[in-house]
Amino acid sequence: MTACAIEPSAGHEDEAAPAGCTLTADGAYAARLASAGGSWFPERWTLDGPEPYAVPLPRNQPEEPGTEVQPMGDGRVLIHRLVAGRHAFSLLYPTGPGTGELPLGVVECPNDTARLRLLPPAPGGERAYALSVGPRSTTVWLVAGGAFGPERLAELPGRCSGGVWLDRAGRLLALDRESGGPTKAVVVDLERGGEVSPLLQIAADSDDRLLLADHDSGLLLIRSDAPSPGHDRLGWGVLGSTLPVRFPECLRLPDCTVTPFAIQPGQMLTPESCAVALRVDGPRGSWVGVWRPVERRVHHLPAPEGWLAGAGLWTPEGVLRLPYATEAVPCGVAQVSPPAAVTPPEPGATPPHPPPAPPTPEHAPEPEPPTHTPHPQPSPHSPQPPHSPQPPQSASPADPTAPPTPSTPRPVPLQQAPLGRLVTN
């Protein structure tokens, strides 16, 4: 037994609804908690073959609704259960007509206020990690892939949330840490005993969180209130670059929650061309957004019926794969090819054809950012008129004669992590 107490970690990122399933870093497998007849059971999806297929992994009794599952790189499924106040971890695998189970051990949190959750799948798929968050400190655990069961790897002062892998070796983990002040993203080096380095410092008093990172291009998706104090904005930067973070106006969708969940890989030298998949949750449901930094606009696409919302991955060729489940197709993957990127013309260029009608507010292109790097001070933004984007399949078109709201987005500097070059090489 390992001393450390299923609840999600308390933190800002948990305000968004959890994804419908979890995919390995390479997209070969997925796992989810499925239901049948009111009972819950783990299910593994194989996605790297000619056709996707699901294998149910039920045990002797149904699972609790809050049970976590995560696919491993070899096809087994890690399961995290809360049993008598202790966190139990096992590996599940199909065996003949039944399900085999390999217990890995338990983690016990004596402090009732501590919470523990699985971190996103690590690159390689051989190891799995968990985060235990207490009142004053956070612990990173290796819960699968170790030699002797769950192992305490690092303890950090403060309360941490998030969790983004910054390299392909599963060594550098970015966490969002709050320790008596603003929340800042930091890097934890798991091969150096949990050595911590700063990652994001946009403004002294801003909350700066890392949402996604791409290993190939170094593209970072960030959530911060630096440009609009008290109001979080989605922004982007490039790890290892001296260019500032930018907060595109087109990513502001009133009355909607926008959560990036996948970045197109394989764009080694062109992070601005990477397609980013967005989960958009609005008053009338969820749909898919696609955004590229070079375009400064969002393409709104209908989600496939039964989409396991928030789950998906890009191919290097720019095809978005979205897992879904319906009664007719219990295990399916929709292939979505968004519109090709269109680079905005240079300022002052003469268009070859008469300009189209002004775009609607949610598709308004972002004005060209200034070429200089401003001081790291928050800047005011012109408010947008109230508007609630609707899902593409049921959206009502806005007035095409309404001009876009003027805005002057202002980039802010990005402080690089001292270990950043290890990530981008």
Side-chain angles (χ1 to χ4, degrees), residues 12-19 21 120 162-164 176 209-214 219-224 232-237 246-248 250-253 256-264 274-281 287-293 298 307-314 320 322:
H12 185 276
E13 86 286 355
D14 295 315
E15 294 177 5
C21 72
V164 177
D176 305 324
R209 298 176 171 87
L210 181 64
L211 305 182
L212 284 180
D214 177 59
L219 180 64
L220 305 179
L221 271 295
I222 296 159
R223 194 184 300 276
S224 173
D232 282 346
R233 296 277 301 275
L234 282 178
W236 69 279
R246 284 166 168 76
F247 293 88
C250 64
L251 295 180
R252 301 179 71 180
L253 302 182
C256 293
T257 300
V258 181
T259 307
F261 64 88
I263 302 177
Q264 180 186 358
C274 288
V276 179
L278 310 169
R279 170 180 175 174
V280 185
D281 296 294
W287 64 95
V288 179
V290 173
W291 167 79
R292 300 176 182 89
V298 175
W307 178 40
L308 303 179
L313 75 157
W314 289 98
L320 181 59
L322 301 173

Side-chain angles (χ1 to χ4, degrees), residues 142-381:
L142 173 66
V143 295
F148 306 104
E151 176 185 350
R152 185 196 302 262
L153 296 182
E155 186 167 359
L156 291 69
R159 296 174 58 84
C160 293
S161 57
V164 177
W165 296 101
L166 295 178
D167 65 333
R168 295 190 180 279
R171 169 184 172 181
L172 303 178
L173 174 66
L175 296 172
D176 305 324
R177 182 173 68 171
E178 184 274 322
S179 184
T183 299
K184 301 292 184 183
V186 298
V187 179
V188 182
D189 189 338
L190 298 181
E191 290 189 5
R192 292 188 178 180
E195 180 180 294
V196 178
S197 301
L199 177 63
L200 291 179
Q201 176 72 34
I202 297 178
D205 56 352
S206 62
D207 291 322
D208 309 321
R209 298 176 171 87
L210 181 64
L211 305 182
L212 284 180
D214 177 59
H215 304 150
D216 295 331
S217 64
L219 180 64
L220 305 179
L221 271 295
I222 296 159
R223 194 184 300 276
S224 173
D225 63 353
S228 306
H231 302 279
D232 282 346
R233 296 277 301 275
L234 282 178
W236 69 279
V238 180
L239 191 61
S241 171
T242 58
L243 296 177
V245 174
R246 284 166 168 76
F247 293 88
E249 194 72 18
C250 64
L251 295 180
R252 301 179 71 180
L253 302 182
D255 300 326
C256 293
T257 300
V258 181
T259 307
F261 64 88
I263 302 177
Q264 180 186 358
Q267 313 301 302
M268 297 293 184
L269 302 176
T270 56
E272 298 86 355
S273 299
C274 288
V276 179
L278 310 169
R279 170 180 175 174
V280 185
D281 296 294
R284 296 190 179 182
S286 302
W287 64 95
V288 179
V290 173
W291 167 79
R292 300 176 182 89
V294 71
E295 281 193 292
R296 301 190 298 276
R297 64 171 294 178
V298 175
H299 300 278
H300 295 273
L301 308 173
E305 181 185 358
W307 178 40
L308 303 179
L313 75 157
W314 289 98
T315 67
E317 296 74 27
V319 177
L320 181 59
R321 308 186 72 209
L322 301 173
Y324 68 93
T326 64
E327 284 193 29
V329 183
C331 176
V333 176
Q335 310 277 350
V336 179
S337 296
V342 177
T343 305
E346 293 295 328
T350 302
H353 301 287
T360 56
E362 70 270 24
H363 294 167
E366 175 198 6
E368 289 294 326
T371 57
H372 66 283
T373 300
H375 298 291
Q377 304 295 330
S379 62
H381 289 260

